[in-house]
Amino acid sequence: MTIRLKLTLWYSSIVALTVLIFSMVLYTTVWRNSLRDIDTALRRRAESVASSIFLPPGMALRAKSIVIPDVDVFSGADVYVQVLDSSGDLVAKSANLGSQSLPITPDILTVGNGSPFRTEAVSGSYVRIYTVPILYRNSIVGFIQVGRSLQPLMTQLNRLKISLVLVSLATVLFAGAVGWLMAKTALKPIDKLTRSAREIGEKRDFGKRVAYRGPADEIGKLAATFNMMLDGLEQAYNHLEMALAGQKRFVADASHELRTPLTVIKGNVQLLRKSIGLDPEGTEEAIQDIEFEVDRLSRMASELLDLARADAGQHIVLAPVDLVEVITSVAKRLAVLASDRDFNVTFDPAISCVPVMGSAEHLERVLTILVDNAVKYTEPGGKINVSLSVSDHYAIIKVKDNGSGIAKEDLPRIFERFYRADKTRYRSGTGLGLAIAKWIVSEHGGQIDVTSELKKGSEFTIRIPMLSQGETEKSIRKS
Ligand code: ADP
């Protein structure tokens, strides 16, 4: 059952109940008031009859001796009068009663036995009868009965009943129709919302919003909430699409990158098979090639594993570390990497200790990646400088070289996985180093940026938030 139908039925039922109660109250009020009026009229009539009865003084208490007035004087078209003696025998009656008489039941004649008014059926129609005793020296010498046909009242009440039924029916029908229209108007915005939502769902067009121009009532709030939910859904959907596209690209790049060394290895193995024992120099070269590619493959495999773990949400365990210590401890190894370059590590003289929440192992790895790149892309004799300084509660590590530099169009992409600006130049690269460096830095709550100019050199800058004095002490106490 639709809400519209339910609302209409509820509305009609309430109106029907109200109309029913109103009709019943009206009907009973009219009936009671009319009956009261009739009763008053009957009593007055009886009083008039009583006052005109003449009882001769000293008469024996026999009803027959009551001088009865002409009861017809007191009767009307539908008012009947009759007089009874003390034993209940009819003494006189109005002519309009014809051969009939008002019913005489013994209990009527017992004074004080309930109400003096009775409603009795007389030849198929109801008559209201008032019985009053005629007293003479405190003794009952007879009774006056005044009756009135209830037929006109019944007819009137019947007409009222029919009118009430008709008016009630019309009112309920009218209320139902109005309720049906009102429910339609009230539910129209919801209908619109439903249609918009269905359309958005069917077309998967999460950029669309439900158009609601109206007050900020319940429906306005529903529309706003719905649009808010669509915002979230759109974001999630876009994010998912981007992630999916990135994943697809990653899989395609990974399979491509893995195939290249494998092709080289296979070619060399075939060459070895053919030239075994014939060309010792060529054999040595082929074995070197194989070794080189196998090294690259295993490096790529371990780097891919690192990135896969990062994608799976694995986090680096951080603890308070001193960057001065980290850089000092890795400097020797870096110097070996850059042995035939002018390699320097400099610390801001104003600092003695730079505490950050970090992992010494991973920070060393980032430095190795950057210095290794600087070496790769700088000619022997070139300059490479690693520096550490502090600015605005951030530790700043810079790795600067005066090597080949990076073209402007490549700069925004060098942190992408497998992206290599010049693939033919350094075959040993995997294109994953900077992607890993970026992940490690972001795990430290930091940021990595690059500025570079072709043929002039590049500068990689890492910014990591420093631990305040209080935080350092707290972390040391905890550990
Ligand atoms: P790769 O294994 O190729 O070095 P990276 O992710 O470490 O992969 O670097 C991505 C690309 O960024 C490199 O292929 C190179 O083109 C460019 N690049 C990185 N560091 C430097 C640098 N110091 N000088 C010039 N180019 C660089």
Side-chain angles (χ1 to χ4, degrees), residues 373-374 376-377 401 404-406 414 419-422 429-434 458 460:
N373 277 348
K376 271 195 290 188
Y377 302 102
D401 66 62
S404 61
I406 305 161
I414 57 166
Y419 190 82
R420 282 187 287 155
D422 186 356
T430 58
L432 296 172
L434 287 182
S458 316
F460 286 85

Side-chain angles (χ1 to χ4, degrees), residues 35-80:
L35 206 60
R36 206 180 49 217
D37 291 348
I38 288 173
D39 288 353
T40 313
L42 287 178
R43 186 181 279 134
R44 282 208 189 114
R45 193 64 62 93
E47 278 165 6
S48 320
V49 176
S51 64
S52 63
I53 287 176
F54 174 70
L55 296 168
M59 65 162 257
L61 293 179
R62 276 181 296 109
K64 292 281 185 243
S65 51
I66 302 169
V67 178
I68 298 162
D70 183 0
V71 285
D72 283 331
V73 172
F74 303 99
S75 69
D78 53 356
V79 180
Y80 313 104

Side-chain angles (χ1 to χ4, degrees), residues 297-351:
L297 263 181
S298 67
R299 216 171 338 118
M300 206 186 288
S302 84
E303 286 175 350
L304 276 175
L305 194 66
D306 285 338
L307 287 170
R309 282 191 186 129
D311 286 346
Q314 200 182 65
H315 293 289
I316 296 173
V317 182
L318 306 177
V321 286
D322 176 14
L323 277 182
V324 176
E325 259 177 45
V326 174
I327 296 175
T328 315
S329 90
V330 80
K332 244 191 221 154
R333 210 157 42 79
L334 298 178
V336 175
L337 261 179
S339 53
D340 49 359
R341 313 287 193 278
D342 175 8
F343 178 72
N344 285 298
V345 177
T346 52
F347 294 102
D348 187 331
I351 55 171

Side-chain angles (χ1 to χ4, degrees), residues 119-410:
T119 303
E120 303 283 350
V122 178
S123 57
S125 66
Y126 287 101
V127 180
R128 187 75 171 162
I129 302 166
Y130 175 63
T131 309
V132 63
I134 307 164
L135 295 173
Y136 180 72
R137 290 184 192 153
N138 289 333
S139 300
I140 297 169
V141 292
F143 295 93
I144 299 167
Q145 282 193 306
V146 185
R148 182 168 168 180
S149 166
L150 290 180
Q151 202 50 45
L153 176 64
M154 289 300 184
T155 315
Q156 227 178 7
L157 284 175
N158 265 342
R159 273 194 210 127
L160 178 67
K161 203 193 285 172
I162 292 166
S163 306
L164 283 175
V165 168
L166 289 178
V167 169
S168 302
L169 273 177
T171 310
V172 171
L173 282 178
F174 180 70
V178 170
W180 181 250
L181 288 176
M182 262 166 50
K184 187 185 175 183
T185 318
L187 293 172
K188 209 172 172 182
I190 292 190
D191 202 40
K192 227 171 134 189
L193 274 180
T194 313
R195 261 185 284 130
S196 298
R198 194 187 302 131
E199 213 179 291
I200 290 166
E202 273 168 8
K203 291 186 184 160
R204 291 181 175 268
D205 185 1
F206 300 120
K208 221 173 160 184
R209 296 288 172 269
V210 291
Y212 176 76
R213 254 172 254 105
D217 52 10
E218 286 86 342
I219 293 173
K221 277 184 202 148
L222 177 67
T225 312
F226 192 75
N227 280 341
M228 226 162 73
M229 194 189 77
L230 279 176
D231 284 343
L233 212 62
E234 187 188 16
Q235 266 176 25
Y237 191 72
N238 288 346
H239 189 73
L240 210 70
E241 268 201 331
M242 262 164 58
L244 203 69
Q247 210 67 35
K248 275 185 190 164
R249 208 170 48 235
F250 180 61
V251 171
D253 289 347
S255 42
H256 175 77
E257 292 295 329
L258 290 171
R259 224 177 31 220
T260 316
L262 286 173
T263 314
V264 175
I265 292 169
K266 191 166 182 197
N268 280 307
V269 169
Q270 280 169 348
L271 188 81
L272 275 178
R273 189 175 284 139
K274 275 189 215 154
S275 62
I276 247 170
L278 300 174
D279 177 7
E281 222 172 87
T283 307
E284 179 54 32
E285 215 175 289
I287 288 171
Q288 269 177 20
D289 266 4
I290 290 172
E291 205 174 6
F292 176 83
E293 293 300 343
V294 167
D295 280 351
R296 203 161 84 89
L297 263 181
S298 67
R299 216 171 338 118
M300 206 186 288
S302 84
E303 286 175 350
L304 276 175
L305 194 66
D306 285 338
L307 287 170
R309 282 191 186 129
D311 286 346
Q314 200 182 65
H315 293 289
I316 296 173
V317 182
L318 306 177
V321 286
D322 176 14
L323 277 182
V324 176
E325 259 177 45
V326 174
I327 296 175
T328 315
S329 90
V330 80
K332 244 191 221 154
R333 210 157 42 79
L334 298 178
V336 175
L337 261 179
S339 53
D340 49 359
R341 313 287 193 278
D342 175 8
F343 178 72
N344 285 298
V345 177
T346 52
F347 294 102
D348 187 331
I351 55 171
S352 58
C353 157
V354 181
V356 296
M357 276 304 278
S359 151
E361 180 197 336
H362 286 89
L363 289 169
E364 281 177 16
R365 188 156 175 208
V366 174
L367 286 170
T368 310
I369 290 168
L370 295 181
V371 173
D372 188 41
N373 277 348
V375 172
K376 271 195 290 188
Y377 302 102
T378 312
E379 295 300 321
K383 270 180 111 172
I384 299 170
N385 187 59
V386 176
S387 68
L388 174 65
S389 59
V390 165
S391 163
D392 274 347
H393 303 291
Y394 272 88
I396 317 277
I397 305 170
K398 287 183 191 278
V399 178
K400 191 175 177 186
D401 66 62
N402 62 351
S404 61
I406 305 161
K408 239 189 195 147
E409 63 272 22
D410 291 323

